[in-house]
Amino acid sequence: MNELIVPVVAQELEVTKRTIESGRVRITKQVHERVEAVAEPLERERVFVERVAINQVVAEPPATRQEGDTLIVPVVEEVLVVEKRLVLKEELHITRVRSVEMSPPEHVTLRSEEVQVERTPPRGRDGG
């Protein structure tokens, strides 16, 4: 009996990569300046203190109290007589007055940047 030999062939593939230049980019930047006037409201608060004479005998110090926009702070002193008494000497009436004023315009320099992109063909390649 004769033997038949059949060759088996296999192909292999080898893949490689390489980097090529496909184009170039040139970037230019410009800085622009502009002057703008800025005015902002500014809040101001003033305090007025009014001394109100009371001169009234009290058994204990009165508490600080609020009447509308006015804070009333009792001021007491001990007066020596035949007996010691607590006398409400005066109250401080503290009133807040709030106002809003526009600040004077100020000139402020603001900058912004502008970028331009220009594509150029790669070096050493034909136009096509």
Side-chain angles (χ1 to χ4, degrees):
M1 192 179 250
N2 285 342
E3 240 181 67
L4 181 59
I5 298 176
V6 178
V8 177
V9 178
Q11 291 183 337
E12 291 183 3
L13 177 64
E14 182 180 321
V15 178
T16 59
K17 295 181 189 180
R18 63 185 168 126
T19 303
I20 62 167
E21 184 179 310
S22 62
R24 290 176 173 252
V25 175
R26 176 185 299 151
I27 297 177
T28 57
K29 177 172 78 169
Q30 298 174 344
V31 176
H32 302 279
E33 292 184 355
R34 67 183 185 278
V35 175
E36 290 190 13
V38 177
E40 284 293 320
L42 303 174
E43 191 172 292
R44 181 176 296 175
E45 188 171 272
R46 291 185 211 137
V47 175
F48 298 99
V49 177
E50 176 187 359
R51 292 178 174 266
V52 178
I54 301 294
N55 292 320
Q56 176 183 344
V57 176
V58 293
E60 59 186 42
T64 299
R65 66 186 188 277
Q66 184 80 35
E67 292 181 4
D69 287 340
T70 302
L71 175 67
I72 299 176
V73 179
V75 177
V76 296
E77 73 176 350
E78 291 180 338
V79 177
L80 190 58
V81 272
V82 176
E83 62 186 16
K84 186 165 76 170
R85 296 181 187 173
L86 196 56
V87 176
L88 177 59
K89 180 179 177 182
E90 66 179 340
E91 293 178 334
L92 300 180
H93 292 220
I94 302 170
T95 305
R96 289 185 187 179
V97 177
R98 185 170 289 172
S99 65
V100 175
E101 300 174 3
M102 289 301 288
S103 68
E106 293 190 29
H107 295 283
V108 179
T109 301
L110 303 176
R111 293 187 175 119
S112 64
E113 296 181 345
E114 180 180 313
V115 175
Q116 297 172 345
V117 176
E118 176 185 333
R119 289 204 170 268
T120 59
R123 288 188 195 160
R125 288 185 77 193
D126 298 2

